[in-house]
Amino acid sequence: MTRTIKFTVNGTAHEHPVEPRLLLADFLRHTLGLTGTHVGCEHGVCGACTILLDGDSVRACLMFAVQVDGCVVETVESLGRIGKLNPLQEAFHTHHALQCGFCTPGMLMTATDLLKKYPLATDDEIREGLSGNLCRCTGYEHIVAAVRAVKESAK
Ligand code: FES
Ligand code: FES
């Protein structure tokens, strides 16, 4: 049994039949081909699957695809692309804020939400805001530096 849902992803309207048990993360990756959303723990701990849902950061592994019916979804692919990175992606590059890159999409989406809601975030607030995202390569200092740089450049 499927249910047809309508939603917007990265500015494009979609209408798809989905099985009620299909995870949003799997739907984004396997049905829509948006593989920038990574899946690590699959139970809400690592943050690799973080996307924006109606402007708020959420874990795509903790939601079913049917739950985005009528919603606006933004994935890491919405930020920029090779040759045209957005300021946050540029800052990650400049400050060496990624190593293997597995956590990077989730970090970027969480930081996007953080900077939108707290454009004057202190270092402590940046650390707190990113605390739900795990980096296996432990590059946290560089990630904080990248987010701080974007904040400073926006002043
Ligand atoms: S894969 Fe979703 S929080 Fe880890
Ligand atoms: S850069 Fe490797 S997990 Fe964060």
Side-chain angles (χ1 to χ4, degrees), residues 25 38-50 59-62 102 132:
H38 290 171
V39 175
C41 66
E42 279 191 285
H43 59 269
V45 174
C46 74
C49 65
T50 303
R59 311 287 213 217
C61 74
L62 293 183
F102 193 83

Side-chain angles (χ1 to χ4, degrees), residues 1-5 17-28 30-31 42 60-67:
M1 185 185 74
T2 61
R3 181 176 146 195
T4 298
I5 57 172
V18 295
E19 289 189 19
R21 65 179 181 174
L22 181 63
L23 286 179
L24 178 57
D26 291 336
F27 176 66
L28 292 171
H30 303 308
T31 305
E42 279 191 285
C61 74
L62 293 183
M63 295 190 66
F64 293 112
V66 291
Q67 292 178 278

Side-chain angles (χ1 to χ4, degrees), residues 98-103 135-137:
L98 62 153
Q99 294 170 73
C100 79
F102 193 83
C103 71
C135 175
R136 297 181 298 191
C137 303

Side-chain angles (χ1 to χ4, degrees), residues 48-116:
C49 65
T50 303
I51 60 162
L52 300 185
L53 182 68
D54 290 338
D56 294 321
S57 56
V58 299
R59 311 287 213 217
C61 74
L62 293 183
M63 295 190 66
F64 293 112
V66 291
Q67 292 178 278
V68 304
D69 192 19
C71 296
V72 173
V73 174
E74 293 163 81
T75 69
V76 70
E77 286 89 350
S78 70
L79 300 185
R81 57 182 183 277
I82 294 171
K84 196 174 181 185
L85 302 179
N86 85 353
L88 187 59
Q89 291 170 313
E90 285 285 3
F92 268 58
H93 175 68
T94 303
H95 292 272
H96 310 292
L98 62 153
Q99 294 170 73
C100 79
F102 193 83
C103 71
T104 309
M107 289 287 185
L108 287 169
M109 298 314 282
T110 300
T112 296
D113 189 24
L114 174 71
L115 288 170
K116 182 178 58 181

